Amino acid sequence: MSVRTPAGEVLLTAGHGRVSVLVHRRSAAVTGGLLAAVVVLAVLSTALGTRLLPVSDVLAGLAGTADRAVTLTVREFRLPRTVVAVLVGSALGIAGALTQALTRNPLASPDVLGVVNGASAGAVAVLITAGGATAGYGGAAAGLSKVGVPLGAVAGALLSAALVLGIASRRIGALPATQRVVLVGILLNGVFLGLVQWSLTVGDVDQATKAAVWLTGSLHGRGWEHVTALGVTLAVLLPLALLLRRPLEAVVLGEDVAAALGIPVRRLRLVLFVLAFALAGTAVAAAGAISFVALLAPAVARRLTRRSAPLLPAALTGAVLLLAADLLARHALPGHELPAGAVTALVGAPALLVLLLRGRT
């Protein structure tokens, strides 16, 4: 049974009213459209390459009914990269939506709050200090480069999150807690950026070059081991974030309103910040420092849905942006592949500036 409300929502009930779900019609339509866009871009990402595969071959390769070369190309080389793009884009999109909703600041994404640069500092520290042990990074797989670098990025993200939340929990002037998080995050972001630059300056030239490539963010060479690590982490974090969507929307209306509704605001805010930082750190560990996706995806999702904290649309928007950026990175210049992070920066910055100038963030 369904009942339409004047607020553009539909109340779906089952079991004689014992189970009910409130669905925002515009958000549902946008989510469906974004999901269709993700599927189309994922098929294109798998079909396009040094050898163009017809869609029928892509589907046959996925099903395992194509010849061995096509099946190997689809399953082992192109599909893992596509899945990593979807997962990383989703993680960055929802992380940005959480931080922007909690701080009620459209510029407060994990890029700005120090998490991405913290993760970068951890990964660069591994690359610089490990020296020759990561000699295969970017070429043949070296164990330390595939395990040590992501672990260093996660450790850096956790350290930056602990520092931001720990320092912001202390009273700084008369600033509200969310503003303290933004202020401390911006300051620590500068510190971690300085550490990265210092490491690149004093480190071995060969390792510093590899670290600089990693810092731009790329999906090149991503395989099923990245999908597994990302999938397991996101399978835990994403449902938790979506389950807390309703309390988050109350917090967006104002902490006094949320407290009046019986929501433990301080505990909820801490849990959601930790979730956002963990999602961003996981994404950076898998694909490097992909910039602007966490900043732009929530802004686009809010514009499309006209909702204050559209978590699922933001996640799908992030996946669409990163899939499109990776396609551009691979095919914009024939014979050359750009890092996806360079494309997100080149396209994302002007797009965000347009939204800001039009006052639509």
Side-chain angles (χ1 to χ4, degrees), residues 164-173 175-177 180-181 184 266:
V164 170
L165 295 177
I167 297 174
S169 65
R170 297 178 177 275
R171 190 164 183 79
I172 302 174
L175 290 174
R180 292 201 296 271
V181 171
V184 174
R266 292 185 61 182

Side-chain angles (χ1 to χ4, degrees), residues 16-41:
H16 302 287
R18 287 192 293 273
V19 179
S20 63
V21 178
L22 192 62
V23 178
H24 188 262
R25 283 181 288 173
R26 185 180 179 90
S27 294
V30 169
T31 301
L34 288 170
L35 191 58
V38 168
V39 172
V40 170
L41 288 170

Side-chain angles (χ1 to χ4, degrees), residues 5 22-23 34 82 89 113 189 193 210 220 247 251 257 274 296 300 307 332:
T5 71
L22 192 62
V23 178
L34 288 170
T82 301
L113 298 182
N189 189 46
L193 181 60
K210 292 168 183 170
H220 177 75
V251 172
V257 175
V274 171
L296 187 59
V300 174
R307 305 281 285 182

Side-chain angles (χ1 to χ4, degrees), residues 10-361:
V10 178
L11 180 64
L12 302 175
T13 60
H16 302 287
R18 287 192 293 273
V19 179
S20 63
V21 178
L22 192 62
V23 178
H24 188 262
R25 283 181 288 173
R26 185 180 179 90
S27 294
V30 169
T31 301
L34 288 170
L35 191 58
V38 168
V39 172
V40 170
L41 288 170
V43 171
L44 282 175
S45 175
T46 310
L48 298 177
T50 51
R51 175 189 171 192
L52 174 64
L53 295 177
V55 174
S56 57
D57 282 2
V58 172
L59 298 177
L62 291 174
T65 57
D67 61 58
R68 187 173 181 278
V70 172
T71 301
L72 185 68
T73 301
V74 171
R75 286 187 172 185
E76 299 302 324
F77 297 110
R78 297 187 186 177
L79 186 60
R81 179 176 185 149
T82 301
V83 176
V84 168
V86 172
L87 295 178
V88 168
S90 299
L92 290 175
I94 207 165
L98 285 172
T99 52
Q100 291 178 10
L102 285 168
T103 59
R104 284 185 281 178
N105 185 331
L107 299 180
S109 74
D111 313 53
V112 178
L113 298 182
V115 180
V116 172
N117 273 333
S120 300
V124 170
V126 171
L127 280 169
I128 296 298
T129 56
T134 59
Y137 191 72
L144 184 57
S145 69
K146 289 201 170 183
V147 178
V149 173
L151 285 180
V154 171
L158 292 176
L159 175 62
S160 64
L163 287 173
V164 170
L165 295 177
I167 297 174
S169 65
R170 297 178 177 275
R171 190 164 183 79
I172 302 174
L175 290 174
T178 53
Q179 293 187 21
R180 292 201 296 271
V181 171
V182 175
L183 176 62
V184 174
I186 291 173
L187 293 175
L188 287 179
N189 189 46
V191 172
F192 284 119
L193 181 60
L195 282 174
V196 170
Q197 293 173 339
W198 177 75
S199 300
L200 294 178
T201 303
V202 302
D204 175 77
V205 173
D206 183 49
Q207 297 304 313
T209 302
K210 292 168 183 170
V213 172
W214 186 89
L215 285 171
T216 58
S218 174
L219 298 172
H220 177 75
R222 297 309 185 263
W224 286 116
E225 67 275 16
H226 298 93
V227 174
T228 302
L230 265 172
V232 170
T233 307
L234 297 188
V236 176
L237 299 180
L238 284 178
L240 280 176
L242 294 175
L243 283 174
L244 295 172
R245 180 178 60 85
R246 284 290 179 188
L248 174 63
E249 289 180 344
V251 172
V252 172
L253 295 175
E255 295 186 358
D256 293 338
V257 175
L261 293 173
I263 295 171
V265 176
R266 292 185 61 182
R267 195 188 314 162
L268 175 70
R269 194 169 53 213
L270 177 62
V271 169
L272 289 175
F273 268 127
V274 171
L275 276 176
F277 291 171
L279 285 165
T282 303
V284 175
I290 302 284
S291 57
F292 279 99
V293 174
L295 195 62
L296 187 59
V300 174
R302 282 195 302 274
R303 170 65 179 161
L304 292 174
T305 62
R306 299 176 186 170
R307 305 281 285 182
S308 55
L311 298 186
L312 186 55
L316 292 172
T317 305
V320 168
L321 291 176
L322 193 49
L323 279 170
D326 190 45
L327 279 170
L328 276 175
R330 289 155 56 190
H331 303 291
L333 297 177
H336 299 277
E337 178 175 330
L338 300 171
V343 176
T344 59
L346 287 171
V347 178
L352 185 63
L353 183 60
V354 169
L355 290 175
L356 288 171
L357 291 174
R358 293 182 176 181
R360 290 178 177 175
T361 62

